[in-house]
Amino acid sequence: QVQLVESGGGLVQPGGSLRLSCAASGFTLDYYTVGWFRQAPGPGKEREVVSYINRNDDYTYYADSVKGRFTISRDNAKNTVYLQMNSLKFEDTAVYYCAADPREAYSSNWWPRHWGQGTQVTVSS
C-alpha cells in the first residue's frame, strides 16, 4: 500500500525557515516523480504545485513564487523527500501536501496519483 506521511510543518515568523519531510512506504521513492503541493486557506484557493523532482532526476520544477527560497531534495536510502523553505512569507501559509507518481514529468502541469494527508505551515508574526 502506497503511503506518504508529511512532517515538519508548524508556525514560523516571516523570514524564518522550515524543513518539511515526507516519508514514503509501500513503494521505492527513487522510481517515482516526487514533490510538494500546497493549498492556501480561503474560498477559491486551489491546490498548486510548489516543486517536484522528476523520477529520472533530470528535471526539477519550482513555482515562480518559491524560486530561490525553497529547495527540494530526496534521500533514496531513507525513502524520504524534503522541502527546505527559507525566507518564508505570509503568503506561504498553506497546507503542504507530499505527492508521488510513477510517470515522468517535465512541466508545471503535474497531477500525481498518490498524496499524503498534508501538514500545516503558518507564517505569522
Side-chain angles (χ1 to χ4, degrees):
Q1 181 180 356
V2 172
Q3 190 172 13
L4 298 165
V5 179
E6 303 96 336
S7 61
L11 175 64
V12 62
Q13 293 185 339
S17 298
L18 280 176
R19 189 177 80 155
L20 304 183
S21 300
C22 173
S25 61
F27 68 103
T28 303
L29 202 60
D30 51 346
Y31 296 130
Y32 279 66
T33 296
V34 294
W36 296 87
F37 283 69
R38 68 184 180 186
Q39 187 165 13
K45 295 292 186 179
E46 297 183 350
R47 196 171 295 190
E48 60 177 6
V49 60
V50 174
S51 179
Y52 69 82
I53 302 176
N54 186 44
R55 59 171 285 166
N56 299 326
D57 282 335
D58 59 353
Y59 180 77
T60 302
Y61 172 85
Y62 291 99
D64 288 342
S65 58
V66 306
K67 281 180 181 176
R69 301 188 298 122
F70 290 12
T71 303
I72 190 171
S73 62
R74 62 170 153 195
D75 186 334
N76 291 335
K78 295 182 179 179
N79 224 31
T80 300
V81 60
Y82 304 96
L83 186 67
Q84 178 67 43
M85 305 186 295
N86 299 328
S87 302
L88 283 161
K89 305 176 180 180
F90 292 118
E91 52 264 41
D92 294 318
T93 295
V95 177
Y96 284 71
Y97 297 90
C98 179
D101 193 281
R103 297 164 293 182
E104 297 176 350
Y106 292 100
S107 74
S108 61
N109 188 27
W110 182 55
W111 195 258
R113 190 170 301 170
H114 305 293
W115 296 85
Q117 293 300 306
T119 185
Q120 177 70 47
V121 172
T122 302
V123 184
S124 175
S125 56

